[in-house]
Structure formats: C-alpha cells, structure tokens
C-alpha cells in the first residue's frame, strides 16, 4: 500500500501490521526527521566537491556510518527500557548545486526555494547581503554532513571517520560545532536563557500518546516533513526532507538590555520584571507559557505545551511574542499552522561557549554581545511554505496577525518602524503607551538549503 503522507493518524512505527511500503520508507529514511536524535554535541561539516564522481563516491561511502530512521527509533525504545546508549547520528544533506555537481538534475525537485539556494532568497527573507555572511557560507556548499551524539567523544571519533573518507578533490569549506546549553534543572535552553525545542510537531504514535492534552494537538501528518525522494530508485517508498540551516548569532547583552528597558517602560517591579522578557518570547525562561501563567510556574515537567490562544486576544500572551508569531496555534481559522501546513520540525542546536549562567539575572554587561547563537535547523516538506513562510509572512511582517503587531522580537528582520503596545500587566486589557520595538538582536551569519535524501538514493550513487 503506498505510504499515505496525509494519514490522519500518528504512525505506529513498530506495529506488526505495518505495510511493506511504510517499512521500506522507515528503512530508507534518515534519522532525526521524524523524531529528534540526541545531538547535545554536534559537528556540521560543510563540503565542497572539486570533482563530481569523487563527490558521488564520498556520499555513497558515508552510508555504512549512517542508520535508518527505524534503527534510530529502535535505539530510542531500547534506551528507554535498558538505558543502553545508541550509536551516533550521521546525516547527509545535498544542496541544489551539490546535485548538479554530482551529475543529477535538481529539476525533479518541486521546491523553488531549494532550487534557488539560500543566497538567492536573501531579499525574500530580508537577510544581510551575502558579502556580510561568514566567509565559508559565501562559498559554494555542495553537501552537509551532520554528526551528533550525547557527548563530544563519539562525535569526534565519527568526524575522523568521515574526514578519512573525504577524497583529495573535496574540501571542508567550513565547520560548525553545536554544543547543548542546559539550565540548572537540566532543561535545554537557548542563549537568551529560555527553554527551547519544546513545541514540536509529533508524527509517531508513541510520541503523541506520551503528550496527551486537550488544548493543543501535537500530532501532524508526515506530509509536514516528508516528500518522495525524486532521484531514489523507488520514490514511492524512498523519502527525504528539506533541511534549512541558518547560523543565527545572538547578541545576548543587547537582548538583556531590551528586556530591562521594556520592564522599566511597563513599570514592572521586583518579581514581575521577568514578564517583560516573557512578553517578547511568549514563555518565561523556565518555559512557562505566558498563555497559562503570569509568573514562572514550577508546575509542569516536562514544560507545559498544552495551550492554544483561543480566548486570549493578547492580554496574556501578546500576539507579537516570538512563539505566537511563529506558531499562532488556533487563534484564527482553525489553526493556520495546520491549515496551511506551516509547522516544521525544528532540530537546531546552540553554538558558542559561555562562562556565565544564561538563565540567571546577572547584569546585561556580563553577557556576550556575539560569538554565540543558534544553528537553526528544521525539516520541511516545503521550504517555501514552511520555513520561508514563517520567516517572511509572519516574523518579518509587522502586520501579522494584525496591524500594529510589530516584527517578531526575536527573529524578525527588516526595519522595525511600527510602534507596539503591550498589556500593562499580565491578563490586563489595558495597553501601554506605544513603545518602540526592541532592537534586532539576532543576526543571520549564513546558511543554505539542503535535501536529506533517502539511504536508497545514497546507496545508488
Ligand atoms: C519556539 C527561541 C529562531 C520558530 C521557540 C522558543 C524559544 C525560541 C525560546 C520556545 C520553546 C518552544 O516552544 O519550543 C528562538 C531563538 C531563535 C529562534 C533564540 C534564534 C536565535 C527561530 C526561527 C524560527 C523559529 C528562525 C522559524 C523561522 C519557532 C517555532 C517555535 C519556536 C515554530 C514553536 C512555537 C510553538 O509551537 O509554540 N523559539 N527561536 N525560531 N520557534 Fe524559535
């Protein structure tokens, strides 16, 4: 039976009743797409091929270091039962020019953003001029090899094995090192100090069952992340996903100053002051959603995610907060992120070391102004209607969801001219006087679009 990507039920991946096509799909799909792979430590190798046939051989030679999505899911199941660790993650993505280089026409791909490459989408995304990107992103990147695991040692060992396979005609034009950040309670956070990676579309029956809720349905069909791999031997059973990679530098000092300035402007005192940052992000630092609480809550481990914005016109969670701009949940038209298929699977990792404690209240002056940030990564079935749509039509659009909302305070790009009003207090219909928007504190330093092909394609090279 052909794999039904729009199936309205979560995928019971370990069911004995699984049909042959779905089994083949899981045996040939790369891991980390349907379910996040542990990647506390990461190395991303950005590769340029000088010679097409050598490039093909290199890509094929990586297959024995890789595992299938099914193998990964089995490892996760075993780990939950026995605490036995799995094997490192090795993922491979190929850019549009990479496909051309290895002699495969990218015309069979349907995504126009992918077929243009990120450099040519810079106006759509209001990105900095390519000349301002980090040098390695200015080069032609043909492929990316992602290596990840729970600790640095297996990543270093696997990285050596990958590099040993690299032909003389190819070079690593750049490398990114991801390093997970955790708060004092061990929760994954980003550099501004907030819990991140919590709200995700879930595709698998066991994951959906573990996340019961009444306000937010975390289940999304496979069509949000998978497309037939057009160059695989059997595109009806061999699937892949589009990967967006963006290096986003965070000026933590400036963000902290903006939080303080907003708290002053709103007259917030004492333990109400964290409300200012929460109004920018939509959650307090410990992940407490502003939709549910006006103060950081100790309830909810894991961090609460069962909420929608129905009945909150913005008095609790401002409509301009990052998480509300990036995922309006069901505030309009039954859930734009679902109706329009926007929700993507975020799989980023923080980069850059810190000697301070990102989650505490130490003064802004003690915070890094650069050199740290997020290696934003997400899997999409359409870069145009998921990642790009979120960035351009929601985050960079001061009129989404309504006039006067302003840019996304965290990731919005473009001139922040519109003045915005915030609730005077949590759950208050009274609004502040119009305020200048917080400055842009996240800077795009480069990136690229890739397709993560099926293992069957890589084996066929
Ligand atoms: C959620 C921070 C970049 C889209 C979040 C959360 C934080 C955060 C703290 C809350 C945790 C959660 O709900 O999972 C950041 C920072 C970024 C960044 C600091 C850059 C340095 C991006 C980009 C996009 C994006 C580039 C997409 C264009 C989302 C989405 C959610 C989210 C869709 C989930 C919202 C929800 O479902 O409620 N981000 N983010 N983020 N972010 Fe970002």
């Amino acid at each position: 039976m052909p794999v039904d990507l729009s199936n309205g039920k979560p995928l019971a991946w370990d069911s004995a009743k699984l049909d042959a096509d779905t089994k083949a799909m899981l045996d040939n799909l790369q891991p980390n797409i349907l379910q996040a792979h542990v990647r506390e430590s990461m190395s991303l190798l950005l590769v340029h091929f000088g010679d097409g046939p050598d490039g093909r051989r290199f890509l094929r030679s990586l297959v024995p270091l890789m595992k299938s999505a099914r193998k990964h899911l089995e490892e996760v199941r075993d780990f939950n039962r026995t605490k036995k660790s799995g094997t490192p993650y090795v993922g491979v993505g190929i850019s549009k020019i990479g496909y051309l280089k290895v002699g495969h026409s990218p015309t069979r791909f349907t995504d126009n953003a992918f077929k243009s490459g990120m450099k040519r989408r810079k106006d759509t995304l209001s990105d900095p001029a390519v000349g301002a990107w980090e040098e390695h992103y200015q080069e032609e990147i043909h492929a990316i090899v992602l290596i990840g695991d729970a600790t640095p040692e297996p990543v270093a060992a696997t990285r050596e094995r990958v590099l040993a396979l690299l032909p003389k005609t190819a070079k690593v034009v750049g490398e990114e090192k991801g390093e997970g950040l955790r708060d004092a309670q061990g929760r994954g956070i980003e550099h501004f100090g907030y819990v991140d990676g919590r709200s995700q579309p879930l595709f698998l029956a066991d994951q959906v069952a573990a996340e019961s809720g009444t306000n937010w349905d975390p289940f999304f069909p496979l069509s949000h992340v998978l497309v037939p791999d057009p160059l695989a031997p059997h595109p009806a059973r061999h699937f892949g996903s589009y990967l967006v990679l963006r290096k986003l530098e965070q000026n933590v000092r400036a963000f902290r100053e903006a939080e303080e300035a907003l708290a002053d402007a709103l007259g917030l005192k004492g333990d109400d002051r964290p409300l200012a940052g929460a109004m920018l992000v939509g959650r307090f630092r410990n992940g407490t959603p502003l939709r549910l609480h006006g103060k950081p809550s100790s309830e909810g481990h894991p961090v609460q995610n069962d909420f929608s914005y129905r009945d909150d016109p913005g008095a609790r969670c401002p409509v301009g907060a990052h998480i509300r701009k990036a995922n309006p949940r069901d505030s309009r038209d039954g859930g734009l992120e679902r109706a329009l298929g926007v929700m993507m699977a975020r799989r980023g990792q923080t980069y850059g070391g810190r000697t301070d404690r990102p989650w505490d209240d130490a003064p802004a002056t003690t915070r890094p102004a650069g050199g740290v940030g997020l290696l934003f990564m997400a899997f999409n079935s359409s870069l145009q209607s998921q990642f790009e749509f979120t960035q351009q039509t929601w985050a960079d659009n001061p009129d989404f969801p309504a006039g006067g909302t302003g840019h996304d305070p965290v990731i919005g790009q473009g001139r922040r001219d519109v003045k915005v009003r915030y609730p005077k207090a949590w759950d208050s219909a009274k609004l502040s006087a119009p305020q200048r928007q917080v400055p842009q504190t996240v800077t795009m330093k480069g990136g690229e679009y890739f397709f993560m092909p099926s293992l069957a394609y890589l084996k066929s090279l």
Side-chain angles (χ1 to χ4, degrees):
M1 195 199 296
V3 181
D4 177 8
L5 297 182
S6 307
N7 194 333
K9 285 207 194 109
L11 180 66
W13 65 272
D14 56 352
S15 157
K17 291 192 213 132
L18 217 58
D19 61 83
D21 280 339
T22 308
K23 275 190 193 146
M25 181 270 280
L26 287 171
D27 286 334
N28 284 282
L29 185 69
Q30 296 197 37
N32 198 32
I33 300 170
L34 297 184
Q35 177 163 337
H37 194 286
V38 57
R39 54 194 195 291
E40 202 68 9
S41 178
M42 280 199 104
S43 166
L44 309 184
L45 301 170
L46 305 171
V47 182
H48 178 101
F49 301 134
D51 176 79
D54 275 358
R56 286 169 91 119
R57 275 189 288 277
F58 169 68
L59 292 170
R60 190 179 59 216
S61 71
L62 293 173
V63 176
L65 299 182
M66 301 171 73
K67 62 187 159 195
S68 67
R70 182 210 297 281
K71 174 83 168 71
H72 171 227
L73 298 174
E74 286 169 355
E75 285 184 359
V76 174
R77 186 184 57 196
D78 293 350
F79 178 79
N80 290 337
R81 284 179 189 160
T82 64
K83 295 284 166 259
K84 180 177 168 283
S85 302
T87 53
Y89 164 54
V90 177
V92 172
I94 305 172
S95 68
K96 174 230 165 172
I97 42 173
Y99 275 106
L100 281 172
K101 189 74 197 182
V102 299
H104 274 157
S105 165
T107 51
R108 308 237 315 254
F109 290 91
T110 50
D111 193 86
N112 284 331
F114 173 71
K115 287 198 279 189
S116 300
M118 196 177 283
K119 294 183 180 80
R120 285 162 60 187
R121 304 297 278 186
K122 97 181 169 28
D123 292 338
T124 307
L125 298 167
S126 305
D127 279 342
V130 175
W133 295 10
E134 286 183 4
E135 263 171 36
H136 53 278
Y137 287 106
Q138 297 183 31
E139 299 213 24
E140 271 192 10
I141 299 168
H142 294 147
I144 184 171
V145 184
L146 303 98
I147 305 162
D149 211 330
T151 55
E153 296 75 19
V155 174
T158 310
R159 178 183 174 278
E160 287 309 310
R161 293 178 68 187
V162 170
L163 292 178
L165 295 168
L166 200 69
K168 288 206 172 55
T169 52
K171 60 177 180 181
V172 174
V173 292
E175 178 170 11
E176 302 293 354
K177 297 262 187 195
E179 220 180 304
L181 269 186
R182 296 201 169 254
D183 68 10
Q185 283 72 38
R187 292 175 291 232
I189 57 172
E190 49 69 46
H191 278 283
F192 293 148
Y194 291 77
V195 165
D196 199 4
R198 173 65 184 93
S199 174
Q200 295 286 2
L202 303 181
F203 309 102
L204 306 175
D206 43 2
Q207 288 212 301
V208 173
E211 176 127 6
S212 61
T214 48
N215 298 299
W216 168 246
D217 179 2
F219 164 67
F220 285 79
L222 298 174
S223 57
H224 277 249
V225 280
L226 299 190
V227 292
D229 179 347
L231 298 167
H234 299 289
R237 0 170 79 192
H238 301 150
F239 290 80
S241 187
Y242 293 103
L243 170 74
V244 42
L245 164 70
R246 284 163 79 77
K247 185 170 189 181
L248 301 175
E249 186 178 60
Q250 292 175 255
N251 183 339
V252 183
R253 190 177 305 165
F255 188 81
R256 280 298 165 100
E257 284 164 358
E259 288 178 316
E260 294 299 328
L262 182 59
D264 290 344
L266 298 177
L268 298 170
K269 303 252 182 307
D271 63 2
D272 276 334
R273 286 182 74 79
L275 190 55
M279 286 195 194
L280 302 176
V281 174
R283 292 182 183 267
F284 288 94
R285 282 184 206 146
N286 76 355
T288 306
L290 206 47
R291 172 64 183 90
L292 301 181
H293 302 277
K295 291 226 157 60
S297 154
S298 52
E299 275 173 48
H301 291 279
V303 167
Q304 286 165 290
N305 198 39
D306 183 22
F307 61 92
S308 81
Y309 299 111
R310 199 180 299 129
D311 303 327
D312 177 19
R316 291 179 167 205
C317 180
V319 289
H322 171 57
I323 65 165
R324 196 162 177 177
K325 284 276 255 187
N327 181 8
R329 304 207 172 194
D330 53 353
S331 31
R332 291 195 339 185
D333 307 331
L336 289 177
E337 67 290 343
R338 214 173 286 270
L340 302 178
V342 181
M343 197 77 174
M344 58 196 143
R346 291 177 297 127
R347 303 283 187 257
Q349 186 51 283
T350 46
Y351 72 87
R354 295 279 289 265
T355 47
D356 59 334
R357 294 188 303 172
W359 61 90
D360 73 12
D361 288 324
T365 47
T366 62
R367 307 298 180 176
V372 301
L374 180 67
L375 300 168
F376 177 80
M377 286 176 266
F379 291 111
N380 302 247
S381 54
S382 163
L383 290 162
Q384 248 186 317
S385 51
Q386 293 175 280
F387 161 67
E388 285 197 347
F389 185 88
T390 308
Q391 183 73 48
Q392 182 191 24
T393 314
W394 289 350
D396 297 348
N397 176 3
D399 296 328
F400 177 77
T405 297
H407 285 69
D408 182 316
V410 178
I411 59 165
Q413 303 195 122
R415 285 172 60 98
R416 299 186 177 198
D417 295 331
V418 172
K419 290 205 167 168
V420 296
R421 304 173 78 183
Y422 298 89
K424 279 196 130 175
W426 185 71
D427 207 12
S428 159
K430 287 198 187 133
L431 294 177
S432 71
Q435 306 288 322
R436 230 186 258 221
Q437 292 187 51
V438 295
Q440 187 180 324
T441 52
V442 168
T443 307
M444 192 271 194
K445 306 297 277 185
E448 189 50 285
Y449 293 137
F450 300 93
F451 186 72
M452 308 290 286
S454 60
L455 297 175
Y457 167 79
L458 293 172
K459 282 179 200 158
S460 77
L461 286 173

